Amino acid sequence: MPFNKNNLFIALFSLCTFPTYAAQCTAETFAKNKLNNFVLMSQQTRNGIPKSVTIAIDSPDGYLRTSVQSNFSQCGELIGGRAKEVTTSTGQKTVFTATTEIELNRTEFGWSIQLNSNGIVADKNSQKATEAYRQTLEGMYLLNDKGVISRAVSRSVIAGTKPKDKDKTAVSSIDYAFNSSGLLASAASKGSMAIDNNTTVYSYDGNHRLINTQSPSTIEEYGYDNEGRELTLSRTQTYFTIEKKLTTCDEWNSHGECTRANIDITITPTDRSAKQYVDKHNAVMTAKYEYWN
């Protein structure tokens, strides 16, 4: 499982240009915090300095439940954040529940990240539950001499869930590169597991707005309305299945932040020669922003 599992934060926030609201916060400080927040969470907040952001995603059919809570300093720096995602897939005989929890905290040297995830298969008839996988991860986002995140390192343990299985330990790192405009250009991940060796590339439009991210497993495309507000996010992720999510915003607050969006989810098999099925779900995202000013 890749280190950048903090995708729970990705696509729930947006990149911002922070105005200087507090005298003790210089333009350089705001710019640095803006860039670090983008590395950590792909945050693209349009205007204002958020004090806290709370996001919830819920599916009427129970397939997806997500909660995100983050807090920021008056200079726009992320103090801490938590995210939890639960997906529940129902088959003919079993119910599979996958849970991932992530916590980010500011430390003296950068940000620490902790991740816990597990998958449970429950038999509908016997109600017997079996653990399919379990992973714990600890890592750090490290700052360079300019106070910008340039590297992340992690160590994870994948627990053996069968009687004869042994726990596996994996280590990985991510190196971040920036373009001539100071925007994140790429994140190159290397690790002891094959899935951790990949690069994510970031593309922007002429207004420095994120329009595309691409890695071997995931493609994201962002769309904006005539006022420059984030309107759509299309995300296609390919592992054992192909999962496509189309998020369309239909309500914004006075700062231009999306506060309500509709999410259409379509899941199909990767093997086109196999028996075809299409699993569709819908979810609603709601967000609440509290600002310093």
Side-chain angles (χ1 to χ4, degrees):
M1 189 169 293
F3 171 57
N4 55 349
K5 181 64 178 178
N6 56 339
N7 282 337
L8 290 188
F9 289 100
I10 295 176
L12 301 181
F13 298 93
S14 305
L15 174 66
C16 65
T17 301
F18 290 122
T20 303
Y21 285 112
Q24 70 272 24
C25 305
T26 65
E28 182 181 359
T29 299
F30 281 116
K32 177 185 66 177
N33 291 337
K34 176 185 69 174
L35 186 55
N36 286 335
N37 290 344
F38 183 67
V39 172
L40 291 167
M41 303 186 302
S42 289
Q43 181 181 351
Q44 296 188 113
T45 310
R46 284 166 51 85
N47 297 298
I49 305 300
K51 184 176 183 179
S52 66
V53 181
T54 303
I55 293 174
I57 300 175
D58 288 292
S59 296
D61 63 1
Y63 171 72
L64 177 63
R65 288 171 291 156
T66 301
S67 61
V68 179
Q69 171 69 47
S70 23
N71 300 291
F72 303 84
S73 73
Q74 286 182 292
C75 295
E77 181 177 60
L78 176 70
I79 298 171
R82 293 173 178 267
K84 181 177 181 179
E85 181 178 272
V86 180
T87 59
T88 303
S89 303
T90 303
Q92 291 183 345
K93 298 181 179 180
T94 60
V95 176
F96 177 70
T97 303
T99 303
T100 300
E101 295 182 81
I102 296 172
E103 183 174 347
L104 284 167
N105 286 298
R106 184 68 165 95
T107 70
E108 181 181 358
F109 304 103
W111 282 263
S112 65
I113 180 173
Q114 290 184 313
L115 177 149
N116 293 283
S117 64
N118 66 76
I120 304 294
V121 179
D123 186 275
K124 286 184 176 180
N125 294 323
S126 67
Q127 300 299 309
K128 180 181 178 181
T130 304
E131 190 172 47
Y133 70 87
R134 184 173 74 255
Q135 180 191 20
T136 59
L137 177 148
E138 292 185 350
M140 281 290 301
Y141 289 90
L142 304 173
L143 300 170
N144 60 20
D145 56 3
K146 296 181 180 179
V148 174
I149 297 171
S150 60
R151 185 175 172 83
V153 295
S154 74
R155 177 182 181 273
S156 63
V157 176
I158 302 170
T161 56
K162 296 180 181 179
K164 294 184 180 180
D165 288 348
K166 295 182 179 180
D167 292 355
K168 297 179 181 180
T169 300
V171 294
S172 65
S173 65
I174 302 175
D175 289 306
Y176 298 97
F178 304 89
N179 62 23
S180 58
S181 299
L183 302 171
L184 180 63
S186 65
S189 175
K190 295 181 180 180
S192 55
M193 296 181 65
I195 198 171
D196 287 327
N197 293 279
N198 61 79
T199 297
T200 301
V201 177
Y202 300 78
S203 301
Y204 306 85
D205 64 12
N207 294 316
H208 294 174
R209 296 178 303 192
L210 182 66
I211 56 173
N212 179 273
T213 72
Q214 186 164 350
S215 72
S217 63
T218 306
I219 297 174
E220 295 179 336
E221 296 178 306
Y222 294 78
Y224 301 87
D225 66 9
N226 293 333
E227 297 180 39
R229 301 177 302 189
E230 189 172 317
L231 179 62
T232 60
L233 168 59
S234 174
R235 186 169 192 264
T236 303
Q237 188 171 41
T238 304
Y239 283 118
F240 302 105
T241 60
I242 302 173
E243 181 175 287
K244 294 184 178 181
K245 290 183 180 179
L246 176 61
T247 302
T248 305
C249 187
D250 51 37
E251 291 182 17
W252 296 263
N253 64 14
S254 60
H255 290 273
E257 302 292 353
C258 183
T259 56
R260 184 179 177 86
N262 184 72
I263 305 174
D264 291 313
I265 305 167
T266 303
I267 303 169
T268 58
T270 55
D271 185 359
R272 296 300 180 183
S273 64
K275 183 180 179 180
Q276 292 295 299
Y277 72 90
V278 176
D279 195 8
K280 292 188 177 182
H281 305 277
N282 178 264
V284 174
M285 184 281 290
T286 56
K288 180 181 179 180
Y289 289 79
E290 182 182 358
Y291 293 92
W292 283 103
N293 295 284

